[in-house]
Amino acid sequence: MSRIAISGLKQMKKRGEKIVMLTAYDYPSARIIDEAGIPVILVGDSLGMVVLGYDSTLPVTMEDMLHHVKAVVRGSTHAHVVADMPFMSYQVSAEEALRNAGRFLQEAGAQSVKLEGGMAIADTVRRLVQTGIRVMGHLGLTPQSINQFGGYKVQGKTPAAAVKLLNDAIALEDAGAYAVVLETIPAALAKLVTERVSIPTIGIGAGPDCDGQVQVFHDLLGLYPNFLPKHAKPYAKLAATITEAVRNYDNEVKSGRFPDSEHSFQVDESIFSELMSPSGV
């Protein structure tokens, strides 16, 4: 089975068919998502927070990302895998961005990369696309700029900010980006951007009118019940289920109920008769 192509995603927008994207950070989650038929998997630098325990995405390195992208690619066969380019992997120069983006395709097996920013990185996006590297954009609340924003706040709330975001989306399209993530912006603005650009928009906290939606795998499954962003909807409560399973295992080991004969390997005890005699071997 071949992977979902960029052309397929563009056709989905034309047909009005919603594009579903989920994050994955390892082999087993990628297998589950791929087998469920999700067309796009994003290996987000959000792994810094949900997998590695950092308080932001900024500490995530190229080596971190390559490690996880490789695992996700191994765990999937059908989904289009997008690799998130981490902080400072593309901001220094177009040449460095090209080198790092190339590593995601050549070493890790991703099909495209994602960059945060608009007009400021349009030339870099154009350079990557001209080299044959597909690029997904990312506008609105861009986590790598969290210190500049002063926190995780809704973006594009003023007329000036809205105009800038729209122009950024158009600049990314003109530079050759095949899609753009719109994160934490007013739903009305996301609808406007979706109507003004021909490339698919993928929303996260951007309302229902984007061409598609992306969510963090761990939020979807309720793995962090004490923290849930406003835009996230848990479709399961696995943290409680997993905690109960771990406690049951703990109790059964301590009480001697596990392992039992069903979970042990048996042979004819006569084989060990000499070992079991008082004199030993």
Side-chain angles (χ1 to χ4, degrees):
M1 182 182 293
S2 60
R3 291 185 182 273
I4 297 290
I6 298 299
S7 59
L9 300 179
K10 292 181 177 179
Q11 287 300 317
M12 290 174 73
K13 178 181 174 96
K14 289 182 179 180
R15 295 193 301 267
E17 181 181 346
K18 293 292 186 179
I19 300 166
V20 182
M21 182 162 74
L22 265 176
T23 67
Y25 312 103
D26 54 33
Y27 176 84
S29 60
R31 281 195 61 183
I32 292 169
I33 293 170
D34 197 61
E35 290 174 2
I38 301 300
V40 188
I41 296 177
L42 170 65
V43 189
D45 61 357
S46 50
L47 70 88
M49 303 173 75
V50 298
V51 176
L52 302 180
Y54 297 126
D55 60 4
S56 75
T57 64
L58 298 181
V60 178
T61 66
M62 274 295 299
E63 297 309 315
D64 290 334
M65 290 302 304
L66 286 166
H67 176 82
H68 288 270
V69 173
K70 289 177 183 178
V72 168
V73 170
R74 288 193 295 267
S76 59
T77 59
H78 182 60
H80 180 98
V81 177
V82 186
D84 223 345
M85 295 194 69
F87 183 59
M88 296 309 293
S89 67
Y90 58 94
Q91 290 94 337
V92 174
S93 68
E95 288 71 25
E96 187 166 346
L98 179 58
R99 183 180 305 109
N100 286 325
R103 292 187 68 191
F104 280 122
L105 272 64
Q106 186 177 48
E107 297 179 30
Q111 285 76 63
S112 65
V113 298
K114 182 172 76 63
L115 284 68
E116 296 182 6
M119 287 183 281
I121 65 160
D123 287 342
T124 297
V125 171
R126 184 173 291 106
R127 177 70 183 280
L128 297 183
V129 173
Q130 289 173 345
T131 311
I133 298 173
R134 297 291 193 165
V135 177
M136 176 180 284
H138 186 160
L139 297 173
L141 177 58
T142 47
Q144 292 174 18
S145 302
I146 194 63
N147 291 329
Q148 178 182 346
F149 295 147
Y152 296 93
K153 302 175 181 179
V154 178
Q155 303 298 306
K157 295 192 296 182
T158 66
V163 169
K164 182 181 184 306
L165 193 144
L166 175 58
N167 288 335
D168 281 338
I170 293 171
L172 289 174
E173 179 180 16
D174 290 343
Y178 72 87
V180 59
V181 170
L182 302 177
E183 180 170 358
T184 317
I185 66 172
L189 177 56
K191 184 176 186 294
L192 177 62
V193 173
T194 301
E195 293 171 347
R196 292 288 182 88
V197 298
S198 64
I199 59 176
T201 60
I202 310 296
I204 176 168
D209 295 307
C210 294
D211 297 306
Q213 297 292 327
V214 59
Q215 286 290 300
V216 171
F217 188 66
H218 294 61
D219 292 341
L220 184 84
L221 298 181
L223 289 171
Y224 288 107
N226 296 326
F227 173 76
L228 187 68
K230 176 180 173 60
H231 58 71
K233 178 181 178 179
Y235 288 80
K237 297 180 180 179
L238 294 193
T241 301
I242 292 169
T243 299
E244 181 181 7
V246 171
R247 286 175 176 162
N248 288 340
Y249 166 69
D250 177 69
N251 290 334
E252 289 198 3
V253 169
K254 288 176 178 177
S255 66
R257 287 179 290 161
F258 179 84
D260 54 17
S261 59
E262 181 183 353
H263 301 97
S264 300
F265 299 95
Q266 309 296 334
V267 296
D268 188 336
E269 291 188 6
S270 64
I271 295 175
F272 303 119
S273 59
E274 293 186 10
L275 290 174
M276 297 165 65
S277 67
S279 59
V281 178

